[in-house]
Amino acid sequence: MTSPTTTQLRKTALNTVHRRMNAKMVNFGGWDMPVEYSGIVAEHLATRTAAGLFDVSHMGEIMVQGNRALDLVQHVTCNDASKLIVGQAQYSGLMTGHGTFVDDLLVHKISDTHYLLCVNAGNQDQDFEHIQTHNKFGAKLENAGEHYSQLALQGPKALEILQRLTSVPLESIRYYHFVFGPVSGVSCLIARTGYTGEDGFEIYFAPEHSEKLWNDLLEAGTDKGLLPCGLGARNTLRLEAGMCLYGHEIDDTTTPWEAGLGWICKPAKGEFLGRDILVRQKTDGIKRTLVGFEMQDRLIARDGCKISITGHAAGRVTSGSPAPFLKKNIGMAYVPKESNAPGTKITVQIRANQAPARIVSIPFYKRAK
């Protein structure tokens, strides 16, 4: 996530603003993105205790429309989109025929014939092609990412800050629901979702309004402790909250059962890509499972570190870092199913050190309701 930027990188509409604010910029999934402004720890803590504002305009948007739009969404994803009402969103997996992840995504039901899929930045083109390949339903597809900017306002004071800029009664928006309405006079889709473990909102709008909304939100939150945040804090926040990241915890070799995402896998809905394999795996059982762990000393486990249990190779760290709010070093990894109990002692190879750790329940952090 910290490779140097190049002129070939794609840029969000706020790129010049980030550079004017002296953000540290990195190559993330082919995009020139801010990794931090005032520091990852400060931005992480601001989001946990007040609010953080993230430019997530690199995320992809795919429109699925038509009389059989639902049939296509159902065919390529593992969750049951037929349960959605208009104005509701759900977390789901975009599936391969082997029951593994092409990507994870959010499915928004705009109408009975119109769905908005929000997908990961580096995957949007391949996701679109994958869905298009499996579109046997005649649905209309649009790779619409260039028509949207997206800002994420997250934290316990996010609602109070955003309410200053909109007439929409935000308190009435339930978690994982959305409405259309104005923010600072700009037409937006306002969704109460997030990737930090906090309450908050993700706002979709036309890119030409990006600088106005960014500045207005920062100004509205100045007295509430709002900070602009980069992808560094976004990553440590999601890890504390035990949320999977594509390319780390989930990819085209992992299934929902293995990743602890059985709650988004609904074989009972009927046919979808990979269903038969997933049903068989559910019956036969899995051989590995995703777990969380805490380091027992000051060393930090990083992505890719080898893990052993009772002296035997057991897997690798999928994500590892300090947890700024919890003040401990944490990580996630796949281990054999029989060794996944909380309290199990594991060893993480960190350079020349064999560092002790123990398996714990995830999420590591859960906000108070």
Side-chain angles (χ1 to χ4, degrees), residues 26-347:
V26 299
N27 178 350
F28 181 79
W31 289 77
D32 187 30
M33 295 296 294
V35 69
E36 61 180 289
Y37 299 85
S38 53
I40 292 173
V41 171
E43 293 164 25
H44 181 114
L45 295 177
T47 305
R48 285 275 180 260
T49 60
L53 181 63
F54 303 78
D55 176 16
V56 288
S57 303
H58 61 313
M59 300 293 282
E61 289 83 19
I62 298 172
M63 294 294 185
V64 185
Q65 298 181 72
N67 292 332
R68 299 196 67 188
L70 175 60
D71 292 332
L72 177 55
V73 173
Q74 290 285 71
H75 178 62
V76 297
T77 65
C78 60
N79 209 334
D80 189 356
S82 73
K83 302 295 186 182
L84 294 173
I85 62 171
V86 173
Q88 186 177 12
Q90 71 179 189
Y91 179 58
S92 190
L94 186 63
M95 293 285 102
T96 71
H98 302 290
T100 59
F101 288 91
V102 175
D103 203 357
D104 59 340
L105 73 166
L106 292 177
V107 178
H108 304 75
K109 182 173 182 176
I110 295 175
S111 76
D112 289 341
T113 58
H114 189 179
Y115 293 81
L116 167 63
L117 313 181
C118 180
V119 301
N120 282 301
N123 295 348
Q124 57 185 303
D125 293 336
Q126 71 182 45
D127 288 356
F128 180 78
E129 291 171 8
H130 179 76
I131 297 169
Q132 196 169 44
T133 297
H134 293 281
N135 183 14
K136 58 185 180 181
F137 307 98
K140 178 185 175 183
L141 290 175
E142 181 185 2
N143 195 355
E146 64 182 16
H147 302 307
Y148 289 92
S149 281
Q150 187 187 155
L151 297 179
L153 180 63
Q154 298 283 301
K157 297 182 181 179
L159 187 150
E160 183 181 358
I161 293 167
L162 184 58
Q163 193 66 79
R164 293 174 168 181
L165 300 178
T166 181
S167 58
V168 174
L170 299 175
E171 193 66 64
S172 66
I173 304 174
R174 290 179 290 162
Y175 191 49
Y176 267 73
H177 287 70
F178 64 92
V179 299
F180 290 92
V183 177
S184 275
V186 175
S187 179
C188 296
L189 184 158
I190 307 168
R192 198 169 191 174
T193 56
Y195 192 53
T196 62
E198 298 299 332
D199 187 18
F201 300 87
E202 282 162 335
I203 309 161
Y204 301 74
F205 53 90
E208 59 264 28
H209 304 296
S210 298
E211 188 165 350
K212 171 182 170 53
L213 284 180
W214 176 264
N215 290 335
D216 286 356
L217 283 162
L218 285 180
E219 183 178 352
T222 297
D223 65 338
K224 297 298 179 183
L226 173 66
L227 287 183
C229 298
L231 296 181
R234 185 171 165 87
N235 186 53
T236 55
L237 287 158
R238 71 90 193 167
L239 180 55
E240 274 191 346
M243 295 178 173
C244 293
L245 175 63
Y246 186 85
H248 292 250
E249 287 69 45
I250 53 176
D251 58 23
D252 61 4
T253 70
T254 55
T255 70
W257 309 129
E258 294 170 333
L261 294 173
W263 59 277
I264 69 167
C265 188
K266 304 296 174 59
K269 74 175 183 175
E271 182 276 333
F272 63 90
L273 288 175
R275 178 184 181 275
D276 292 346
I277 291 174
L278 288 167
V279 168
R280 187 161 63 247
Q281 187 181 62
K282 179 70 170 177
T283 301
D284 295 345
I286 55 177
K287 295 181 180 179
R288 62 173 187 162
T289 186
L290 186 67
V291 298
F293 64 86
E294 293 178 357
M295 301 303 298
Q296 298 300 286
D297 59 20
R298 296 173 63 86
L299 293 176
I300 301 169
R302 297 297 187 183
D303 305 5
C305 289
K306 294 179 180 179
I307 286 177
S308 59
I309 300 177
T310 62
H312 300 285
R316 290 179 181 270
V317 175
T318 57
S319 295
S321 83
F325 187 75
L326 298 177
K327 294 182 172 55
K328 56 184 68 173
N329 297 326
I330 62 173
M332 292 195 284
Y334 282 95
V335 301
K337 181 67 165 63
E338 62 273 15
S339 302
N340 73 340
T344 300
K345 294 179 180 179
I346 67 174
T347 301

